[in-house]
Amino acid sequence: MKRWYTGTALLLAMAVTATACGAGGRPEGEEKGSTVGITDTTIKIGAHFPLTGVAAPGYSEIPSGHQAYYDYVNANGGVNGRKIEFVVKDDGYNPTNTSQVTNELVLNDEIFAMVGGLGTPTHSAVVDYLNDAKVPDLFVSSGSLQWGDWPKEKPFTFGWQPDYEIEGKIIGDWVAKNMPDAKVGLFLQDDDFGRDGEKGARRYLDSQIVAVAKYTPGNTDVAPQIAQLQAAGVDLVLGFNVPSYTALSQLVSLKIGFKPKWFYSNVGSDPALVGSLLARFSEGAVTDSASLLNGVMSTEYLPGMDAPDDPWMKLWQKVWDEHGADGELTNYRVYGMSQAYTFVQALQAAGQDPTREGIVEAIEKSGASFEGPGIAPFRYTGDSHLGISGMSVVEIQNGIGEDLTPVLVTDLGDTPIKEDDSAAGDAPPSNGIPDVKPAE
Amino acid sequence: MVRRHLLLALGALVVVVLVLETTSQFRNAQFAAMAYYAIAAAGLTILTGLNGQLSLGHGALMAVGAYSTALMLQSREGTLPLLVILALATVITVVVGALVGVAAARLHGPYLAGATLALAVAIPGIPLYFSEWLGGEQGLNVRMPEIPVWLADAAYFVTGQELTQIRYLAYLGWLGVIVVFVLLANLSRSRVGRNWQAVRDDEVAAELAGINLGRARVQAFVVSAGCAGLAGGLLALSARLAAPSGFTLTLSLLLLSAVVLGGLGSLVGALVGAALLTFLPQVVTGAGTDLGLTDVQAAQLAPLIYGLVTVLVVLLAPAGLAGGLRKLIHWRRSS
């Protein structure tokens, strides 16, 4: 009994002491723009990527592209004397993990901004948090509309690649004009990706679409979906799907003798990755994957591995040779470097003393004039945080995308599609580092 | 016994306040994660350790709690108080657990594992089927309701720092841990708990002693499901999301491995297991990066180390980390 009293007394004493350390009231004071993550010589940014798990092939290479370009910039003096540190965390493409590693990036590593966080389901888990914490959430690696169509609600978030709706519109318009008799079937990933793409395509193709098949990422059996398209008499399949499902849909179609024309959105069409996936999924049965993809149509918005003579590709090759990690340059690394290039531009636009609020304002003011590897201009303004505004339609032959159209530029809703090659001719500066004036 | 548990709980509360107030926001977030793992693991360790039922479906029960919480927080205009929402999420999961438990009470051993495995596989499919309502693959976003003003003011008055959302959540989680642990500790030392153990040790003897086997099993399953539901609700708040990919079979297996690592049947073991689940991956990945591994290699290191730790614990301390520690203390005292 006695021990019990002693214990209680001890606890009470501890509690009282702890309380006595308290404050009793709030101090007053206002603070200006946040400079978390910035010192006089460094600036720390970070992102979440799938480095392990099902989504890792391909996507895990993007951060190595980022890193190589930042190393290149740092070796040339950094941005305004500051070296860029890039912290990458693995979320395994699992939104619950994304939430945890984002906590770690924001609270433990104290990053200035998130740059290039990958994935629609993963990033949507953290987008509200980043905006509540006022952390710039730049250039999300996903084409979902939610990163930029309503900036009032998510003022710190910016998209980067063309969103899936304008991709759907451009594809739909091209098919309606060039293949007016095709019976179109949609093969969609069952999330924003498929939904936004379908919305865009239906604007021009509504009467031509005869079947819609959706798959759930993770379920690798797509035979029912492909059989459904075949049964509906489809002769042109539009796929809004990720690369592994391009490979799966090709294999299933081979198996059941379904031979339509294929049109995959940009995300699912990287010939190198799809080729290697085809070889792996078929356990070696498919060896000549390049010819299997011949005649497949897709879209492009960045110069890639199939255009080694493009001035941007020459720059990326040089950067990769000097600063890259193990392995060859790939389209995913090019994607990462292109994003990194845009970030360096944004940082320059934010001026000598960037703040979190300042960089957002700078992108809204001068982002639309950033000249980069994208073949169409960015749409950044105060009213839109969506990224690249257009793409061109290509046909893949022996792993190379051959242009079927000039650059087609558009925006959400009923904005018309028009040809605009103005941004396609941008060449990188000779030292490979952008020179953007601070936004006024 | 009850008094001792209450006293321990009071002590734990003081420790929780001191730890949460003195650690960084990031650690607070980790402690919040540890809290929901601990609650789920505690429920599972009671079910498996005390009652001898193996469940591979606790991840799915957590999903029920998480989705219930998420749905109740969807309205933009004001919602029920957070504690009420968590309590309701627990009740909903208890109901689901009761349904599963009634079926499970007729099975045992591998058959029960199989049935709960089916649960773990099937439940994440439900949001995909009702994607209009449950958000499909992308899940439902969860926004933490604002901290009540009186609470924020009171916390500031006492501690001298702003009560952030993350710290608030960590407090909520650890309050849950303390309540759940006190209840479970009392329960397992009560007549009900003894009945459960009797059923585990010898069904025939238990039945001869007048224990209704089915009822004892359903009871244990329901209590355990309630814990999973509360844990799921806290997970949804902490991850700010309820999505099918968060509740795969892997989660159920991780929980089970945490329980085994900590020490089957021991509440302290559940706490130890939860700490491992929360801190090990981040610490190992950090150490890997510091050693100069690439990001990809460092990311792959965490599961490897977790596997090695499991192998070592099973070899060296078959009663789990908590059990091994207790043995060590006994051994030192007696020698």
Side-chain angles (χ1 to χ4, degrees):
Chain A
M1 206 52 180
K2 189 125 181 255
R3 265 181 68 196
W4 193 78
Y5 284 125
T6 330
T8 317
L10 204 72
L11 277 175
L12 276 176
M14 270 167 78
V16 168
T17 322
T19 317
C21 306
R26 285 187 174 85
E28 312 260 317
E30 275 287 298
E31 43 183 308
K32 278 175 88 182
S34 164
T35 56
V36 173
I38 294 193
T39 69
D40 286 343
T41 53
T42 60
I43 173 162
K44 195 190 255 186
I45 56 174
H48 59 87
F49 286 96
L51 303 180
T52 59
V54 281
Y59 291 155
S60 65
E61 294 171 1
I62 294 175
S64 64
H66 272 267
Q67 188 63 56
Y69 188 69
Y70 297 136
D71 286 346
Y72 176 79
V73 171
N74 292 344
N76 287 285
V79 177
N80 289 324
R82 294 188 182 89
K83 304 237 189 288
I84 300 170
E85 292 173 19
F86 185 57
V87 189
V88 182
K89 299 282 177 202
D90 174 35
D91 64 7
Y93 213 68
N94 173 347
T96 313
N97 290 351
T98 311
S99 189
Q100 284 173 3
V101 298
T102 302
N103 278 337
E104 194 178 348
L105 286 168
V106 172
L107 302 172
N108 199 36
D109 294 307
E110 303 196 316
I111 54 170
F112 170 71
M114 170 89 81
V115 180
L118 188 139
T120 306
T122 44
H123 199 74
S124 52
V126 296
V127 66
D128 286 335
Y129 168 65
L130 290 170
N131 279 281
D132 287 347
K134 298 188 176 11
V135 178
D137 176 23
L138 310 177
F139 318 138
V140 182
S141 305
S142 143
S144 170
L145 291 179
Q146 55 167 319
W147 320 130
D149 61 342
W150 191 235
K152 301 269 175 307
E153 203 167 88
K154 293 165 184 156
F156 285 82
T157 299
F158 288 83
W160 187 75
Q161 67 194 59
D163 59 83
Y164 302 134
E165 182 179 335
I166 69 162
E167 183 165 16
K169 280 176 66 180
I170 288 170
I171 293 173
D173 180 52
W174 188 85
V175 170
K177 282 186 184 139
N178 294 282
M179 309 172 81
D181 301 324
K183 293 168 91 178
V184 178
L186 301 181
F187 179 62
L188 307 173
Q189 177 160 308
D190 194 6
D191 60 12
D192 277 1
F193 180 18
R195 261 195 299 278
D196 293 352
E198 179 179 7
K199 189 165 128 200
R202 280 205 184 270
R203 193 168 278 280
Y204 298 92
L205 275 184
D206 207 15
S207 57
Q208 272 181 265
I209 294 174
V210 296
V212 178
K214 296 179 180 178
Y215 73 89
T216 315
N219 182 356
T220 53
D221 180 17
V222 294
Q225 286 89 336
I226 301 298
Q228 181 198 343
L229 296 176
Q230 187 182 30
V234 167
D235 55 19
L236 171 69
V237 180
L238 302 187
F240 286 87
N241 55 272
V242 292
S244 44
Y245 285 85
T246 304
L248 288 170
S249 59
Q250 288 294 327
L251 285 178
V252 169
S253 305
L254 271 181
K255 216 181 280 174
I256 64 175
F258 180 41
K259 293 191 186 100
K261 193 99 171 118
W262 295 90
F263 199 139
Y264 291 104
S265 73
N266 180 279
V267 170
S269 69
D270 183 54
L273 180 64
V274 172
S276 75
L277 289 171
L278 273 171
R280 175 146 39 111
F281 291 164
S282 66
E283 290 167 351
V286 175
T287 47
D288 191 16
S289 53
S291 70
L292 191 60
L293 289 179
N294 276 354
V296 167
M297 287 172 290
S298 185
T299 56
E300 275 183 5
Y301 57 90
L302 290 175
M305 294 303 291
D306 52 3
D309 294 329
D310 185 275
W312 290 99
M313 285 308 296
K314 284 187 179 153
L315 170 64
W316 304 144
Q317 192 65 54
K318 178 177 135 195
V319 170
W320 187 254
D321 290 343
E322 286 173 20
H323 298 281
D326 294 341
E328 292 298 308
L329 187 61
T330 62
N331 277 336
Y332 290 94
R333 291 182 170 131
V334 167
Y335 178 99
M337 287 198 231
S338 305
Q339 272 184 331
Y341 189 89
T342 314
F343 173 68
V344 171
Q345 289 178 309
L347 195 57
Q348 289 173 336
Q352 188 65 43
D353 298 305
T355 61
R356 281 176 166 174
E357 290 77 4
I359 196 167
V360 168
E361 212 174 300
I363 300 171
E364 286 182 350
K365 276 184 184 154
S366 63
S369 64
F370 288 171
E371 293 184 353
I375 59 175
F378 293 110
R379 283 168 282 174
Y380 303 135
T381 63
D383 296 324
S384 172
H385 285 185
L386 290 165
I388 298 172
S389 58
M391 43 212 331
S392 57
V393 176
V394 300
E395 181 170 330
I396 297 170
Q397 289 295 348
N398 300 316
I400 293 172
E402 289 167 3
D403 284 342
L404 296 178
T405 65
V407 181
L408 301 168
V409 170
T410 183
D411 202 345
L412 303 185
D414 49 13
T415 314
I417 299 171
K418 56 177 197 286
E419 294 180 7
D420 179 4
D421 275 333
S422 63
D426 297 344
S430 56
N431 67 352
I433 295 173
D435 183 20
V436 174
K437 299 276 168 292
E440 290 302 318
Chain B
M1 242 5 188
V2 172
R3 191 184 278 158
R4 191 176 140 228
H5 291 155
L6 281 179
L7 194 65
L8 269 172
L10 219 61
L13 193 65
V14 174
V15 172
V16 164
V17 171
L18 287 178
V19 168
L20 290 184
E21 290 299 331
T22 49
T23 48
S24 67
Q25 288 256 19
F26 169 59
R27 293 288 168 209
N28 284 178
Q30 283 191 314
F31 281 120
M34 182 179 160
Y36 64 69
Y37 280 133
I39 294 173
L44 191 59
T45 207
I46 290 294
L47 181 72
T48 309
L50 223 57
N51 192 229
Q53 301 191 72
L54 179 64
S55 166
L56 297 178
H58 261 52
L61 292 171
M62 284 177 77
V64 174
Y67 271 96
S68 310
T69 309
L71 282 174
M72 283 186 272
L73 282 169
Q74 286 303 298
S75 142
R76 291 242 154 191
E77 287 89 51
T79 52
L80 296 166
L82 200 50
L83 282 178
V84 177
I85 289 180
L86 285 173
L88 281 175
T90 311
V91 171
I92 292 169
T93 319
V94 162
V95 173
V96 174
L99 289 176
V100 180
V102 170
R106 311 178 75 95
L107 303 167
H108 34 152
Y111 307 104
L112 178 62
T116 49
L117 181 69
L119 192 70
V121 174
I123 284 201
I126 293 176
L128 302 179
Y129 193 78
F130 298 101
S131 58
E132 294 288 304
W133 189 47
L134 293 172
E137 179 64 23
Q138 270 169 266
L140 295 173
N141 279 359
V142 178
R143 198 171 262 247
M144 266 281 274
E146 293 293 316
I147 306 171
V149 177
W150 62 267
L151 187 67
D153 284 343
Y156 191 86
F157 189 83
V158 175
T159 62
Q161 24 187 4
E162 273 321 324
L163 183 63
T164 56
Q165 290 267 5
I166 288 172
R167 185 169 291 138
Y168 175 50
L169 192 60
Y171 273 123
L172 215 58
W174 280 91
L175 196 69
V177 170
I178 291 172
V179 171
V180 165
F181 273 51
V182 168
L183 291 179
L184 289 182
N186 289 340
L187 194 67
S188 60
R189 278 168 185 74
S190 71
R191 184 196 152 108
V192 178
R194 285 193 298 276
N195 283 354
W196 292 354
Q197 290 177 34
V199 171
R200 174 197 64 190
D201 291 337
D202 192 329
E203 289 178 13
V204 178
E207 213 163 9
L208 282 175
I211 298 170
N212 183 334
L213 291 186
R215 190 160 71 192
R217 288 217 180 95
V218 176
Q219 273 174 344
F221 204 91
V222 162
V223 167
S224 176
C227 295
L230 176 61
L234 289 167
L235 186 152
L237 289 171
S238 177
R240 305 171 206 97
L241 181 83
S245 50
F247 303 98
T248 52
L249 183 59
T250 322
L251 177 65
S252 301
L253 297 179
L254 267 182
L255 281 177
L256 201 61
S257 82
V259 167
V260 171
L261 276 180
L264 201 56
S266 142
L267 287 176
V268 178
L271 210 56
V272 173
L276 273 180
L277 278 191
T278 318
F279 293 100
L280 193 82
Q282 186 250 334
V283 169
V284 169
T285 311
T289 319
D290 290 344
L291 285 172
L293 295 180
T294 64
D295 292 316
V296 176
Q297 288 166 331
Q300 289 163 345
L301 195 61
L304 176 71
I305 299 289
Y306 192 80
L308 283 178
V309 169
T310 312
V311 171
L312 286 177
V313 168
V314 171
L315 279 179
L316 301 177
L321 286 172
L325 213 64
R326 202 174 299 137
K327 215 164 140 193
L328 206 67
I329 293 170
H330 272 292
W331 177 75
R332 288 200 57 179
R333 266 194 200 154
S334 56
S335 65

